Amino acid sequence: MSNLFKSMAITFAMYSKIPVRNFNWEKENMKYCLLFLPVVGIVEGVFLIAFSIFLNKLNVNPILIAAVLTVLPILYTGGIHMDGFLDTMDALGSNQDKQKKLNILKDSNSGAFAIIGGLVYILLYFASLLTFQGFIRIYILAVSYMLIRAYSALSLIVFKNARGSGLAFEFADKSLIYTNRTVLIGFILLGSVAMIIININYGLLCAISVFLVFMYYRVKSFEEFGGITGDLAGYFLQLAELVVVLVLALAP
C-alpha cells in the first residue's frame, strides 16, 4: 500500500500541478507510476465537468467558457504534454535524419514549427469547444482524458524507446511491466465502454478515433525517430485530445 501511495504521488507530481508530497524516485517507489497516469486524467475530467457546470450556472458567455476549458488542461498539467507536442512539431518540421530529430526534441528552444503548431492547436481546440451544446460532449471529453493517458502510458511500456534513456524510459524501466500493462488495458476498456454508455454514437466515434491516433503515433514515431520518447508520448496525448474535440464538434 505504501508503494502504491508513493507511486501515485510521484505520478501526480510529474504530470499535474496538484500539490502532493515529494518522494524519492527509487525503483520501489515507481513500480506503479504508469498505472496512475489515467487517474491523473480522471481528476482532470472531474475539473472539466465541474468548471463547465459552474460557469454555465453563472451564465458566463460561451466564448469565455470555451476559452477557460481550452486552457484548463494546460494549467492542470503544467504544460508538460504540450511541451512534448511542440518539441515534436519542431522535430517533424525539420526534415532532418532520426538522430538530429531526437536532438531537436531535447532542445529547450522553440522553433517556428512549434509556434505555428501551438497556435493551430489552440485555435482548433477553442473553436471546437465553442460548438459544444449541452453536457454530453463534455462528459465524453472528460472520460477521454483517462482513456488517452492509459494509451500513452501503455506505449511507454510496450513500444521501443528511441533513446534508451530519459524520464519516459526511467518510468517504464522501474515499473512492474505486466501489472501496469494489465491495469492500463483495463483502463482503456473502461474508458471506451464509458464513452459509449454516455452516448453510443459519439462515444464509439471517439473511442475508434483515439485508437487510430494511437496506431498513427506508433507508426510515425518508429518511422521518424526509431521509437518513442517522453516528448512523443506527450505529442500523442495532445493530438488525441485535439482529435476527440474535433470529432465531437463535427459529429451531427
Side-chain angles (χ1 to χ4, degrees):
M1 184 60 70
S2 175
N3 287 336
L4 276 172
F5 175 78
K6 291 177 180 178
S7 292
M8 181 174 67
I10 290 171
T11 304
F12 270 87
M14 180 70 185
Y15 294 107
S16 82
K17 299 305 290 183
I18 294 178
V20 293
R21 180 180 172 185
N22 290 322
F23 291 99
N24 293 329
W25 285 32
E26 300 170 354
K27 187 176 181 64
E28 286 300 308
N29 296 344
M30 297 180 68
K31 291 192 296 186
Y32 306 102
C33 280
L34 293 178
L35 181 155
F36 284 104
L37 188 54
V39 180
V40 175
I42 291 174
V43 176
E44 182 179 355
V46 170
F47 278 122
L48 177 76
I49 294 171
F51 272 92
S52 299
I53 294 174
F54 177 70
L55 294 174
N56 275 278
K57 289 289 186 182
L58 293 179
N59 291 318
V60 174
N61 187 290
I63 296 177
L64 183 56
I65 294 177
V68 170
L69 299 186
T70 297
V71 301
L72 178 63
I74 299 174
L75 296 177
Y76 173 77
T77 62
I80 185 170
H81 306 300
M82 182 59 77
D83 177 69
F85 175 83
L86 298 178
D87 287 342
T88 303
M89 293 302 295
D90 263 342
L92 292 175
S94 70
N95 293 316
Q96 300 293 323
D97 59 41
K98 291 179 181 179
Q99 187 55 52
K100 288 184 178 179
K101 286 176 183 174
L102 286 171
N103 291 335
I104 291 173
L105 289 181
K106 294 192 297 184
D107 192 344
S108 60
N109 297 311
S110 294
F113 294 108
I115 296 171
I116 294 169
L119 289 174
V120 171
Y121 186 101
I122 295 297
L123 178 61
L124 290 175
Y125 201 99
F126 169 74
S128 296
L129 287 176
L130 198 55
T131 69
F132 282 20
Q133 298 293 326
F135 286 96
I136 295 297
R137 289 175 171 84
I138 290 293
Y139 295 150
I140 291 176
L141 178 59
V143 175
S144 77
Y145 292 154
M146 175 192 74
L147 174 64
I148 293 168
R149 279 165 176 75
Y151 272 116
S152 183
L154 184 65
S155 75
L156 297 177
I157 297 174
V158 300
F159 294 162
K160 173 190 172 185
N161 188 285
R163 293 197 187 97
S165 62
L167 285 176
F169 178 81
E170 186 172 358
F171 268 82
D173 185 56
K174 293 182 178 178
S175 68
L176 291 179
I177 293 178
Y178 294 106
T179 300
N180 283 271
R181 182 186 298 174
T182 301
V183 175
L184 290 171
I185 291 173
F187 272 119
I188 290 171
L189 294 174
L190 176 64
S192 300
V193 171
M195 291 196 297
I196 293 170
I197 290 174
I198 294 170
N199 184 284
I200 187 168
N201 294 324
Y202 298 160
L204 192 58
L205 280 172
C206 289
I208 292 173
S209 297
V210 172
F211 176 74
L212 291 177
V213 174
F214 184 67
M215 290 294 98
Y216 164 80
Y217 155 59
R218 195 279 181 196
V219 172
K220 192 71 172 175
S221 296
F222 277 67
E223 179 182 291
E224 300 284 349
F225 300 92
I228 66 163
T229 68
D231 283 322
L232 292 171
Y235 167 77
F236 156 73
L237 190 149
Q238 294 291 166
L239 183 61
E241 287 186 6
L242 178 60
V243 167
V244 167
V245 295
L246 285 170
V247 168
L248 291 171
L250 294 171

